[in-house]
Amino acid sequence: LNIRNKRKHHRLPTSENDNDYEEADGPEENHDIELSDLEKRKKSAKSHQSHIYISNLTSPSQLDVIRSILKPLPGVTNIMTNFDDPNPQISKLVLIDHDVFMTPVQNILSRLSDMGYEAQLKKDGAEDLTSDPNPHGMCRSTLYVEGICCASEVPAVTSILKGVHGVHRVRINITTRLVYVDHDPFIVPVHELTEELNEERFGAHVKRDGSKSLREAQKRVEQTRNTKGRSAFRISKNVREPDVTIIQSTLSNLNGVLRIGINLQERMVYCDHDVVLSKTAVVKDTLEKAGYESEVVRDAEDELKRVIDVEWSHNKQGDAESGGIGLVDSDGINGAIKTSRFVESTIRAPRMTNLKDLSKLEKMMKKKYTTKQVRAYYPHIPSRTVKIEHNPALVSAPSIVNLLSSTCVETFGDAVVAIDGAVENLALPFMDAYEERGRMEEGGQFGSRGLGVGVVLSGIFWVVSMLSIIGGKWEDLEYFGLFSVVFGLPPVMMKAWRTLRRCQFDANCMMVVAAIGAVALQEYDEAASVSFLFAVSEWLEARATAKARRALGAIVSLRPDHANVINPNTGEIVIVPASSLQIGNIVSVRTGDKIPADGVIVDGSSAVDESSLTGEARPINKREGDTVAGGSINIGLTQLKIRTTTTVDDSAVSRLIRLVEEAQANRSPTEKLVDSFAKTYTPVVILLAGIMCTVPWFWGPEIGRYWTLNGLIIIVIACPCALTISTPVTYAAGLAAAAQRGIIVKGGS
C-alpha cells in the first residue's frame, strides 16, 4: 500500500449536479490509497476487495486474531492493513481480498461481529461486478447426477467436467450422487456443465446454482445505492471555522455516512448517508451529543419511505393480477414472490407425545387426503404442533382438525386450530420457488422401495430354468433362462454401453460379457443366474445407498423451507422461500415455526428448541436481545420477531449440512486404496479371463468350451463392484449417523 496525504476543502467530492454544498475554507487531510499492483493479483486470485473499518482495533495482536477468523472462510485470499499509520481512519481500515461468490462481505461482517469487533463496511467488493467490463469470480454449484452408481463413473464425470474451461475443482459424493463443482460462472454457467454430462447420458440436473450469489451481490449493490439519501440539519448556534473539523470528524465515524458538507453562513449541515446503516435520528443525536443542537430540515429516510410505499403499492397491484405478492426487503428493495393456492396452518395437539402418534397421523393424512389437498405436513412433538400446507379451497384447517379428532380421539381429541392460514392469508410460494425442500432424491434404476417388475420376472424365470437340473423331461426348462436374461440384463447393458462409449470397462461390462458368453455357450441357466443375481445386487446397492441418503436427508430437513417476512412499513406478513431471505429482514416466528436464519430477537420472549443443533433436550428461554440460530424451533406460546444477521446459506444449520455433505465428498485413504486396487485389479482379471476364453480353443472344441466357461466364471466371481461400493456407502452412513448425534467428522480420514 502506498499511502499519501493531500489537502482539500472541508466538503467531500460531490456529483456534477450537487447544488446543496458550498465551498468552505480550511485544511483537512485526505488519505488516498493507491492499489497499483493489486489488479494483477485480483485477476490471478479471482477475488475482489472489500474495505472494513474496525473501530475497536487497538493492537497488532488483534490483526492475527482477525486473520485467524477470516482466513478459513472460503474465497478469502488476503487480509491487509496499515496499522502504523497515525490516522485512525487508515490504521483501522482492513482491506480484504475475497471471492464475493463464495463469501459475501455480509458473511465477513457477521463473523467479525460474532467475535466482538465493531466492523463497519466502507466498500463492498461486489461493486466490482457491476463496474468491471470483464468480471470474474468463483462459485460452488451442486449437481445431481443420476448416472453415478459406483466408483467406476467417478473418473468419467471428473474428466468431463475438468475438461470444461472455467472449472477449477470437482468433488463427487458417490452415495448421494452429488457433484460439487467450483467454477467461474462468467466463463461457464452451471447449465453448460449439466449439458456436458447429459451429452454422455448421465442424467444430470442442477441441485444448487452457485452463481445465485452473483445475483445477490448485484442486488446488494443496487440496494446500497437505493438506500442512500441526503439529510439536512440546521444548527441552532453560529458555526465557525473550528466547528467544521469537529462536525466532520464526529459524523464520519458513523457507519453509512458517505459525505458531509457544511454551509457556515446558513448554519446548515448536509449529510449523505445510508438510511439503513445510519438513520436520520442517529445523525441528529450524534450532532447534539457533540454540542450542536439542530433541527431536521430534510429527512432522507422519509423521502425514501415514500418512494418505497409507492413501489410497494404498485408492485402489489401488479402482482395481484398474476397471482404474486410483493415483498419489500428491509433494505428498501421490493420484489415479486409468486404465491400458490396453498396456505400454511398450524394445529395444536396437546396429546401428541411420541412416535406412535406421528405414525397414526401419517396413516390418516395419506389415507384421507391427496397432494392437491395437502401437499406437506410437519409434526413437531416438543411444541405439540403440526404445520400443514393445504389448499383451503379444497380442504379447510377446521375440517382437518375435525377429521383427526374423530378418527383418533386419544391423540387428537382436543386438537385445535392455532393458526388458520386461510384467515390470515398465509399464502405459500409455488414449489418450484424453493431451491431445496430438504428432500433427497432416491433415484437410481432400481430405487429403494422394492424390486422392479423386470427383476422379479427375471427371478421367476431363473427359478424355472434351474429346474432343468433335474434332467429328463425337465431339461427343456433351461430355455426359460433366456427370458430371465431378457428381463434382467437390459438395465445393466445400458450402463455398460455408456461406459464403453467413454472407452472404459467396469463391472457392468463384465457382467454383460459373462451373460452373453453363457448364452453363446448355450448355458442358459448360467446366463439367467448372472443376470438375476447381479440385478438383485444392484437393488441391494441402491437400498444401502438410499439409507445413507435418508440419513443425510434427515439433516437436510433441518433447514427451513420458508420464512414469514414482516414488511417494515405496513407490518404485513409475506411468506417467502427461505433462500430469498436477506440480512436485516424482520421475520415472524410463531409457535412451531422454524427460525429461518441466525438472528437477534427484537420483540417477544419464548422457549426455543435447539436440540437439532446442540443436542440439548431442554428448551432454552430466549428474550429480546438474545441471539438465535437458524433451524431451531419456537416451542413457546409467544410470537418472536427476529432481525436476521445471516442469510439462510450462512446460518448455523446450513453450515452443519454443508460440513456433512463435504465430509462425505472427502474420500478416505481406504476408499482411495480400494479404487487404486480396482483400477489395476480389473484389467488383470479381464486379461486373465480373455486368455482362458481364447487360447484353450487351439487344443480342441471341448477343451475350449470348458475353459471359456471357467473364464466367464472368473469374470463373475472376480468382479470388484461390491468392494468399490461398500467403502463409500459405509463411510457415508457413518458420517450422517454421527452428524445426527451432534458429531461432525471432516472425512473418512
Side-chain angles (χ1 to χ4, degrees):
L1 298 180
N2 179 22
I3 300 179
R4 67 176 186 267
N5 296 333
K6 287 186 176 180
R7 296 174 62 88
K8 70 179 191 71
H9 294 290
H10 285 312
R11 75 183 190 91
L12 301 180
T14 62
S15 60
E16 296 179 359
N17 297 324
D18 190 354
N19 298 320
D20 286 340
Y21 291 107
E22 293 189 12
E23 299 290 340
D25 297 327
E28 184 183 1
E29 290 183 341
N30 177 37
H31 301 270
D32 293 338
I33 302 176
E34 287 189 348
L35 306 175
S36 56
D37 61 340
L38 184 60
E39 294 302 322
K40 295 181 180 179
R41 187 175 73 251
K42 285 172 65 178
K43 291 183 179 179
S44 61
K46 293 188 180 297
S47 61
H48 304 272
Q49 189 174 90
S50 295
H51 299 176
I52 297 178
Y53 179 79
I54 302 178
S55 59
N56 56 348
L57 181 63
T58 57
S59 66
S61 61
Q62 289 178 301
L63 297 176
D64 296 330
V65 177
I66 292 173
R67 289 189 178 96
S68 67
I69 295 171
L70 300 182
K71 273 289 187 181
L73 294 177
V76 175
T77 58
N78 198 18
I79 301 171
M80 301 174 291
T81 187
N82 191 3
F83 189 79
D84 297 330
D85 193 277
N87 189 333
Q89 295 296 324
I90 299 299
S91 63
K92 296 184 179 184
L93 188 67
V94 180
L95 282 64
I96 302 172
D97 290 348
H98 65 107
D99 193 306
V100 296
F101 294 92
M102 305 186 77
T103 301
V105 71
Q106 277 74 9
N107 296 1
I108 296 176
L109 292 171
S110 175
R111 195 62 57 90
L112 290 171
S113 178
D114 291 342
M115 298 303 295
Y117 290 97
E118 298 175 1
Q120 301 175 9
L121 178 63
K122 294 299 183 181
K123 175 184 176 292
D124 188 348
E127 295 177 2
D128 299 337
L129 297 174
T130 58
S131 59
D132 191 351
N134 298 306
H136 52 78
M138 189 72 62
C139 67
R140 177 169 297 166
S141 297
T142 306
L143 310 178
Y144 180 82
V145 183
E146 179 72 25
I148 296 177
C149 66
C150 59
S152 60
E153 284 85 11
V154 171
V157 173
T158 303
S159 63
I160 291 172
L161 294 178
K162 284 196 172 182
V164 179
H165 179 57
V167 173
H168 296 265
R169 188 183 184 191
V170 178
R171 290 193 298 169
I172 300 174
N173 189 328
I174 300 174
T175 306
T176 59
R177 298 188 176 95
L178 295 180
V179 180
Y180 305 97
V181 186
D182 293 348
H183 64 105
D184 190 332
F186 295 101
I187 299 176
V188 52
V190 67
H191 68 85
E192 292 187 9
L193 300 178
T194 59
E195 290 174 0
E196 292 288 336
L197 291 173
N198 290 333
E199 284 182 3
E200 298 295 331
R201 300 181 182 178
F202 271 105
H205 67 264
V206 179
K207 185 78 172 177
R208 180 179 180 275
D209 185 358
S211 63
K212 177 187 173 185
S213 54
L214 165 63
R215 297 189 293 271
E216 292 177 347
Q218 291 174 331
K219 180 181 177 182
R220 188 166 60 247
V221 173
E222 294 301 322
Q223 287 176 345
T224 304
R225 292 173 180 172
N226 290 328
T227 57
K228 296 174 182 177
R230 175 171 298 169
S231 296
F233 306 87
R234 178 174 284 108
I235 307 300
S236 59
K237 63 180 182 180
N238 292 330
V239 181
R240 296 182 172 84
E241 186 66 30
D243 297 322
V244 172
T245 304
I246 297 175
I247 293 175
Q248 287 198 333
S249 61
T250 300
L251 295 183
S252 62
N253 290 328
L254 291 177
N255 190 19
V257 171
L258 307 173
R259 295 182 295 184
I260 305 163
I262 301 174
N263 187 320
L264 298 178
Q265 296 180 351
E266 300 292 336
R267 295 177 294 142
M268 295 292 294
V269 176
Y270 301 99
C271 180
D272 282 5
H273 60 109
D274 190 317
V275 299
V276 174
L277 300 176
S278 290
K279 297 183 179 296
T280 305
V282 173
V283 178
K284 182 176 182 296
D285 291 341
T286 303
L287 282 172
E288 292 181 349
K289 288 179 181 179
Y292 298 94
E293 294 290 335
S294 61
E295 64 171 326
V296 179
V297 177
R298 176 179 174 184
D299 191 341
E301 190 174 351
D302 288 342
E303 292 181 3
L304 289 174
K305 279 184 178 180
R306 285 194 293 270
V307 174
I308 291 171
D309 288 337
V310 172
E311 292 178 344
W312 167 266
S313 301
H314 176 73
N315 185 65
K316 185 174 180 180
Q317 181 180 0
D319 292 327
E321 300 176 358
S322 59
I325 289 181
L327 168 64
V328 175
D329 297 337
S330 64
D331 296 329
I333 301 300
N334 62 85
I337 301 296
K338 297 293 184 180
T339 57
S340 66
R341 296 180 180 179
F342 288 85
V343 299
E344 183 186 67
S345 298
T346 304
I347 296 175
R348 183 176 290 112
R351 300 183 193 175
M352 187 177 66
T353 57
N354 53 55
L355 295 178
K356 291 183 179 179
D357 297 334
L358 300 187
S359 178
K360 295 176 183 178
L361 174 66
E362 183 178 2
K363 289 180 180 179
M364 283 187 289
M365 298 300 287
K366 288 185 177 181
K367 182 179 180 181
K368 299 294 183 180
Y369 299 112
T370 65
T371 54
K372 292 183 179 180
Q373 296 172 313
V374 178
R375 76 179 188 184
Y377 54 93
Y378 307 95
H380 185 245
I381 292 178
S383 62
R384 308 292 195 272
T385 59
V386 182
K387 296 285 182 180
I388 298 180
E389 299 179 5
H390 64 102
N391 186 342
L394 301 178
V395 56
S396 64
S399 66
I400 296 176
V401 171
N402 293 336
L403 176 64
L404 293 175
S405 59
S406 61
T407 307
C408 187
V409 179
E410 294 180 359
T411 304
F412 300 101
D414 53 355
V416 296
V417 178
I419 301 173
D420 191 336
V423 175
E424 301 194 21
N425 194 27
L426 300 178
L428 293 166
F430 284 104
M431 291 292 287
D432 57 5
Y434 296 102
E435 190 174 276
E436 250 181 272
R437 282 288 283 186
R439 299 183 178 92
M440 306 296 294
E441 289 93 336
E442 292 299 329
Q445 178 70 32
F446 298 92
S448 62
R449 297 183 179 180
L451 290 170
V453 176
V455 179
V456 173
L457 291 176
S458 177
I460 293 173
F461 288 118
W462 170 66
V463 172
V464 174
S465 68
M466 293 298 291
L467 296 176
S468 63
I469 300 175
I470 299 175
K473 63 180 182 180
W474 297 85
E475 288 184 355
D476 292 338
L477 293 177
E478 68 175 353
Y479 292 101
F480 280 91
L482 291 173
F483 293 100
S484 179
V485 174
V486 169
F487 285 107
L489 199 60
V492 183
M493 293 181 67
M494 292 176 61
K495 292 183 179 180
W497 171 244
R498 288 198 298 265
T499 304
L500 291 173
R501 286 182 59 195
R502 301 190 295 268
C503 299
Q504 295 176 336
F505 202 88
D506 62 2
N508 297 296
C509 300
M510 296 171 71
M511 292 302 103
V512 171
V513 170
I516 294 176
V519 171
L521 294 174
Q522 296 183 350
E523 297 289 344
Y524 303 122
D525 55 341
E526 298 291 345
S529 299
V530 172
S531 302
F532 172 66
L533 295 179
F534 191 73
V536 172
S537 72
E538 289 277 279
W539 171 73
L540 292 174
E541 174 191 321
R543 187 169 178 267
T545 54
K547 285 185 177 180
R549 283 197 298 272
R550 282 195 294 269
L552 179 59
I555 301 172
V556 173
S557 64
L558 299 177
R559 182 190 288 133
D561 289 332
H562 46 253
N564 302 328
V565 179
I566 301 176
N567 181 277
N569 299 320
T570 65
E572 181 180 355
I573 293 179
V574 180
I575 299 181
V576 301
S579 58
S580 65
L581 202 62
Q582 302 293 322
I583 295 176
N585 283 143
I586 304 296
V587 296
S588 169
V589 182
R590 306 195 207 192
T591 303
D593 286 348
K594 288 182 183 178
I595 297 174
D598 299 352
V600 178
I601 298 175
V602 296
D603 184 36
S605 61
S606 186
V608 176
D609 177 18
E610 297 180 340
S611 59
S612 58
L613 296 174
T614 64
E616 174 59 58
R618 182 175 58 87
I620 307 299
N621 291 322
K622 298 286 186 176
R623 57 180 57 87
E624 185 175 340
D626 290 346
T627 58
V628 289
S632 53
I633 300 175
N634 179 13
I635 64 173
L637 301 179
T638 308
Q639 173 186 258
L640 296 176
K641 292 183 179 180
I642 299 171
R643 181 185 297 276
T644 59
T645 56
T646 68
T647 61
V648 171
D649 288 338
D650 195 48
S651 65
V653 67
S654 294
R655 291 198 298 268
L656 168 66
I657 295 169
R658 194 157 51 244
L659 283 172
V660 176
E661 290 178 339
E662 292 180 357
Q664 290 188 352
N666 292 334
R667 307 178 69 202
S668 69
T670 308
E671 289 182 79
K672 295 177 182 177
L673 176 63
V674 167
D675 288 345
S676 62
F677 171 74
K679 288 178 182 178
T680 306
Y681 170 78
T682 302
V684 171
V685 170
I686 295 299
L687 178 62
L688 179 62
I691 294 173
M692 294 174 66
C693 293
T694 55
V695 175
W697 286 89
F698 290 104
W699 282 269
E702 290 298 325
I703 296 176
R705 179 185 177 86
Y706 172 79
W707 283 103
T708 298
L709 182 60
N710 283 311
L712 297 177
I713 293 173
I714 287 292
I715 290 177
V716 174
I717 65 176
C719 177
C721 186
L723 182 66
T724 56
I725 194 61
S726 61
T727 308
V729 169
T730 302
Y731 278 118
L735 291 169
Q740 287 180 295
R741 290 161 177 80
I743 304 170
I744 301 299
V745 183
K746 293 182 68 177
S749 59

